[in-house]
Amino acid sequence: MFPEKDQYGLRKGRGIRDARGALRVMYERSLECHKKVYICCVDFEKAFDRVNWYKFMTILQSMEVDWRDRKLIWNLYSGQKAYVGIGEQQSGACSIGREVRQECSLSPLLFIIYDEAMVNEATSNLECGVHVGGQAVNMIRYADDKAVICHA
């Protein structure tokens, strides 16, 4: 369960320009075939902050990630505390909540795994997409932005 070919964000050599280009090519080819295309763009606001860690641990377990590694990830991301320093003064501990650490090199991989599971769950029963090279493409993803594609 790793990113499909439709994932453009958080991957080396696959940026926003590539995602926009893929959408444009699919749209133009569909118009050439006189087919209507509907594209629904979704931006998951604060997606890194919305990870359900209980569900994510279940996803990792289903991927057969060792319990010790799951426990390490849980301990790294749950119960986070932050301190604010101003000059020589330091505040008391503040709870961060359930966010993914955006500066941590593990966070993009964890988010992609979580996102992939959520997309699979959401689109498992959908009969949509545009056929390109014999494959149905029903979504273009860039980090936390999604473009769901359907023919009329």
Side-chain angles (χ1 to χ4, degrees):
M1 179 183 359
F2 283 95
E4 300 291 329
K5 294 177 182 176
D6 62 4
Q7 175 67 44
Y8 286 84
L10 308 174
R11 294 180 72 191
K12 185 176 181 179
R14 299 195 72 183
I16 187 69
R17 288 184 181 146
D18 301 306
R20 287 180 183 160
L23 277 173
R24 184 177 178 151
V25 166
M26 283 188 280
Y27 181 75
E28 288 174 353
R29 296 267 167 93
S30 294
L31 289 179
E32 288 172 4
C33 296
H34 304 289
K35 293 184 177 182
K36 290 184 181 180
V37 177
Y38 296 96
I39 301 173
C40 175
C41 297
V42 180
D43 179 9
F44 292 103
E45 182 181 347
K46 299 190 182 266
F48 274 69
D49 302 343
R50 306 285 186 224
V51 172
N52 179 330
W53 287 99
Y54 296 103
K55 185 169 187 97
F56 188 56
M57 289 298 122
T58 304
I59 293 165
L60 292 176
Q61 184 176 15
S62 72
M63 293 175 61
E64 299 181 5
V65 173
D66 187 79
W67 69 269
R68 291 171 287 227
D69 294 329
R70 291 193 316 265
K71 185 175 180 180
L72 176 74
I73 291 168
W74 178 266
N75 289 336
L76 179 64
Y77 286 95
S78 70
Q80 298 179 67
K81 303 260 186 247
Y83 298 88
V84 177
I86 301 173
E88 299 294 320
Q89 302 279 333
Q90 188 175 26
S91 72
C94 301
S95 179
I96 293 179
R98 59 181 182 179
E99 298 176 357
V100 173
R101 294 175 183 226
Q102 294 188 29
E103 292 81 24
C104 178
S105 59
L106 183 60
S107 293
L109 175 62
L110 294 177
F111 182 73
I112 288 173
I113 291 169
Y114 184 78
D115 179 59
E116 182 70 16
M118 296 300 99
V119 165
N120 287 341
E121 185 176 310
T123 61
S124 62
N125 296 326
L126 290 180
E127 294 287 332
C128 66
V130 174
H131 290 305
V132 178
Q135 293 184 341
V137 178
N138 63 359
M139 189 172 304
I140 296 291
R141 296 181 270 178
Y142 182 79
D144 62 342
D145 298 316
K146 313 286 179 264
V148 182
I149 307 157
C150 291
H151 274 282

